[in-house]
Amino acid sequence: MPRLPTPLTLPAGHARGDGQHDHGQDRDRADHAAGAGEREPGLRRRSPLRRRSPLRRGETATAWAFITPAVLIILGLSVIPVAWSVLLSFQASDLVTPSRWVGLDNYRALSQDPNFSQAVRNTLLYTVLYVPLSIGIGLALALVLNRRIRLVGLYRTLIFVPFVVSATAQGVLFSFILDPEFGAANSVLNTLGISPQGFLTDPGQALLVLVAISLWSGTGFCVVVCLAALQDVQPSLIEAARLDGAGRWQLLRHVTLPAMTPVSVFLLVWQTINALQVFDLVYVTTKGGPLGSTTVIVYFIWEQAFKNFTAGYGAAAAYVLAVALGLVTVGLRLVRGREQRRSARPVRLEGAGK
């Protein structure tokens, strides 16, 4: 076996000096590297910017070229009209002759106008009836349609179809069906031995009939949303509750409904806003009659602005409605936050484990 070569050794002083020299060089290299490290981020931040600045300017110009049409549309159809209508609400204007500044007189007149008070009452009654009924009926139908039954797809489609029909078409359709003289509804009632009804021509029935028509069309949307939320509930939660002895009502109350809280709040906000803004159905069917029994706020605004030509007065009524919608939205958001905090707490099922 060949012998390994003998390593060369240096004198102790020379080795120590070289070591010191090497350590000094190492420190110089470390200091240089540290200084370079301190300077590198700055250089790294600046140099690419200098190289990319023409490209970024081109990208910015291209982005603005795509964004500008949307910005102009938003400004022209949203921001500017909102600002103009705010000023208009403090003026007396008929949209033809020069307007006159009246300050808060339009808002004071609204507080004393019996027609506006009646419109507010009708709108609140319509909202109180329509919103809970549409959500409640939608949830009940969604619970039924969430089961494995025959032709369930057909049933879901048939329930959702009325929502697709426009409010104008609904108004025309039900105006023929509910006509007090020639309508199909009174023909059916006559066959059953019930006296004919006035429906949309009766001041005591007209608003309730409008609520029924809205339920026929608007419940389908609630059914679809609730059905999607039900299918999103985790099966493991339901199975765990069943193993703990929870019944059907306890599952619905303590598992299903808490899991659907965000969807329920969304539906509450959405349906409330739609109810407070109802207009086209009223315009097509009753024109606010009979005797103002179906005059809602939005129809009142349209009537004042484009029928009586008191645009400033109508704009003031519109901003009263806007403030009301804002308060409703904020209130429902607070309710949702409270429900979320409550649902985060552990809940013990009543009667579980018995």
Side-chain angles (χ1 to χ4, degrees), residues 90-172:
F90 297 103
Q91 301 174 9
S93 173
D94 58 0
L95 301 178
V96 178
T97 60
S99 59
R100 177 172 54 88
W101 186 268
V102 295
L104 296 175
D105 289 349
N106 288 328
Y107 293 95
R108 295 191 187 98
L110 282 175
S111 62
Q112 301 172 1
D113 189 349
N115 294 326
F116 181 72
S117 301
Q118 184 182 19
V120 172
R121 288 194 301 269
N122 292 336
T123 306
L124 291 178
L125 180 59
Y126 177 89
T127 303
V128 169
L129 292 175
Y130 170 70
V131 174
L133 288 175
S134 63
I135 297 176
I137 297 174
L139 178 60
L141 292 176
L143 289 172
V144 174
L145 296 177
N146 194 37
R147 301 179 180 180
R148 294 181 179 179
I149 57 179
R150 188 178 181 183
L151 301 177
V152 64
L154 177 62
Y155 300 148
R156 294 174 182 175
T157 304
L158 292 177
I159 290 176
F160 185 72
V161 163
F163 177 74
V164 182
V165 181
S166 66
T168 303
Q170 295 172 28
V172 173

Side-chain angles (χ1 to χ4, degrees), residues 75-96:
L75 289 176
L77 299 180
S78 178
V79 178
I80 294 176
V82 167
W84 178 72
S85 60
V86 169
L87 296 176
L88 187 63
S89 67
F90 297 103
Q91 301 174 9
S93 173
D94 58 0
L95 301 178
V96 178

